[in-house]
Amino acid sequence: MTYSDKAENLLRDVALELVEMAREAKQKATASGSDYDEGRHFAFYEAVSLIRQQAKVFGLSLDRIGLGELDVDDELL
C-alpha cells in the first residue's frame, strides 16, 4: 500500500467518523436544547464541511473519501 493510499484511507476513516459524530451530536442537541450540545454539534458540522471544501480544493474525489453522497447542510446542520 502506497503512502497516498494510506493517506486517503486515513482521510476517509476520519471523515466518516466525524460524520457519525456529527449525526449523534445533532440528535443530542435537538433533544437537549443545551447551548453546549448545540455548540458541539455545530463544531462537528464545521469539521465535516471543512474536509469537503479542502478535498474539492485539492482535487480529491468526495466519493473516494466517503463523502460523495452526503448533503452536509441537509443531513448535519
Side-chain angles (χ1 to χ4, degrees):
M1 181 178 287
T2 67
Y3 179 83
S4 179
D5 292 336
K6 289 179 184 179
E8 186 176 280
N9 287 341
L10 171 67
L11 183 57
R12 182 179 41 252
D13 286 351
V14 169
L16 293 176
E17 285 293 325
L18 285 172
V19 167
E20 184 59 32
M21 293 170 87
R23 287 180 175 140
E24 291 172 5
K26 179 180 179 179
Q27 289 177 343
K28 187 170 183 180
T30 300
S32 75
S34 81
D35 289 341
Y36 173 81
D37 288 336
E38 289 177 11
R40 188 169 184 271
H41 162 235
F42 193 72
F44 283 120
Y45 162 79
E46 285 289 315
V48 174
S49 292
L50 179 62
I51 290 173
R52 282 182 56 91
Q53 291 167 0
Q54 291 301 304
K56 289 178 184 178
V57 168
F58 283 91
L60 300 175
S61 165
L62 294 178
D63 289 329
R64 289 185 59 133
I65 62 169
L67 300 178
E69 299 292 319
L70 180 68
D71 182 338
V72 175
D73 291 338
D74 186 50
E75 293 185 46
L76 302 181
L77 189 58

